[in-house]
Amino acid sequence: MPDPILENLRAVHARIADACRAAGRPDGSVTLVAVSKTKPVADLAAALAAGQVDLGENYAQELRDKADDPALRGVTWHFIGALQTNKAKLVAPRATLVHDVDRMELAFELGRRVGATHAGPRTIGVLIGVNIGEEPQKSGVLPKDALALAADFALVPGVRLRGLMCIPPADADPRPHFERLRELRDDGRARGLPLDELSMGMSHDYDVAIACGATLVRVGSAIFGARRRPVPADAHGSPDDPGR
Ligand SMILES: *Cc1c(COP(=O)(O)O)cnc(C)c1O
């Protein structure tokens, strides 16, 4: 019997390649982050065995437990959810990239907790989470404030700013929101800010996101199957309900 996770990964990679081709972008200009939240370690291990190294989690304790599991050695961890400052210590030593950082306090705490390795001090990559639809209930910095925050992040020890991230409003056409995030990124780059990455696109819209310039897509259910609890409309979640 074919392994469904392997089959799904192949299908998602094929669709990413198609979207890159259609947009005139080179193969390999998009990194697939397989979102494994709520899924058992065996499913993640199957993805890893199939060559899927980048995995995303959105709940701090769950990321800690999975990252410390010997069966998942070799994974590059992405933290993609809203993060409480007091949980930064669980994420910072384990994640390579934190996608949804929207305040200085959290950036400082991530940098402080990232820790050193035998190879010297580690840095942690961060993306600024932008509330691109300016929805009152959502976390994320407002678009008009994003580049000022990006400039401030350059001052935070241990933290390396890499780009911007968004989740468009549910039930809306995502394209104008993805385009707006890209314009913001391009404005920031023109001002010399280190904004190479654009994290946008989920199972239902990653091809649109790639057409709009996404460099990281966060795809969960199209790879691992439906989760028991659906992602709520506000997928950023509140700190106590991380949108699982
Ligand atoms: C859960 C989640 C995803 C993946 O959602 P799917 O619809 O399952 O692809 C992407 N980004 C964030 C921030 C999430 O919380």
Side-chain angles (χ1 to χ4, degrees):
M1 202 185 85
D3 177 347
I5 292 173
L6 184 59
E7 299 285 302
N8 292 343
L9 274 170
R10 286 210 183 105
V12 171
H13 275 294
R15 215 170 124 187
I16 290 173
D18 284 348
C20 282
R21 210 168 302 125
R25 300 181 54 190
D27 257 8
S29 60
V30 175
T31 298
L32 171 62
V33 178
V35 176
S36 50
K37 61 194 185 193
T38 78
K39 297 298 177 181
V41 166
D43 288 6
L44 282 66
L48 181 63
Q52 179 60 43
V53 171
D54 290 277
L55 297 181
E57 292 284 335
N58 79 335
Y59 189 63
Q61 284 92 336
E62 187 172 347
L63 179 128
R64 176 200 55 198
D65 293 346
K66 287 174 170 172
D68 292 351
D69 195 310
L72 298 177
R73 216 165 276 150
V75 168
T76 296
W77 293 102
H78 297 249
F79 190 80
I80 62 171
L83 182 58
Q84 282 177 284
T85 305
N86 66 8
K87 303 258 173 74
K89 60 178 180 288
L90 303 180
V91 171
R94 296 174 175 88
T96 294
L97 191 62
V98 181
H99 286 229
D100 192 2
V101 181
D102 60 0
R103 53 197 192 276
M104 282 297 271
E105 181 198 32
L106 177 57
F108 270 111
E109 185 65 5
L110 284 167
R112 198 167 76 83
R113 297 287 191 167
V114 72
T117 66
H118 61 280
R122 218 171 80 88
T123 58
I124 188 157
V126 301
L127 306 179
I128 292 183
V130 180
N131 182 357
I132 200 71
E134 306 191 25
E135 297 168 277
Q137 79 284 7
K138 258 195 194 171
S139 66
V141 66
L142 289 172
K144 69 175 173 59
D145 299 326
L147 297 185
L149 187 63
D152 287 347
F153 275 18
L155 309 170
V156 182
V159 161
R160 191 166 144 238
L161 177 63
R162 307 275 311 278
L164 305 178
M165 174 265 196
C166 78
I167 303 175
D171 306 323
D173 177 4
R175 187 178 287 268
H177 298 285
F178 290 152
E179 286 172 346
R180 190 173 182 203
L181 194 72
R182 190 212 170 116
E183 283 162 17
L184 198 56
R185 196 274 313 259
D186 292 347
D187 284 355
R189 268 181 158 176
R191 296 189 207 175
L193 293 166
L195 302 175
D196 291 330
E197 308 289 346
L198 271 182
S199 169
M200 53 191 199
M202 300 165 51
S203 289
H204 62 286
D205 58 11
Y206 63 90
D207 43 1
V208 179
I210 290 168
C212 298
T215 64
L216 293 153
V217 292
R218 310 176 308 268
V219 178
S221 44
I223 295 168
F224 293 107
R227 291 174 293 274
R228 266 198 301 277
R229 285 169 58 200
V231 182
D234 173 17
H236 272 276
S238 71
D240 293 317
D241 176 13
R244 318 177 75 205

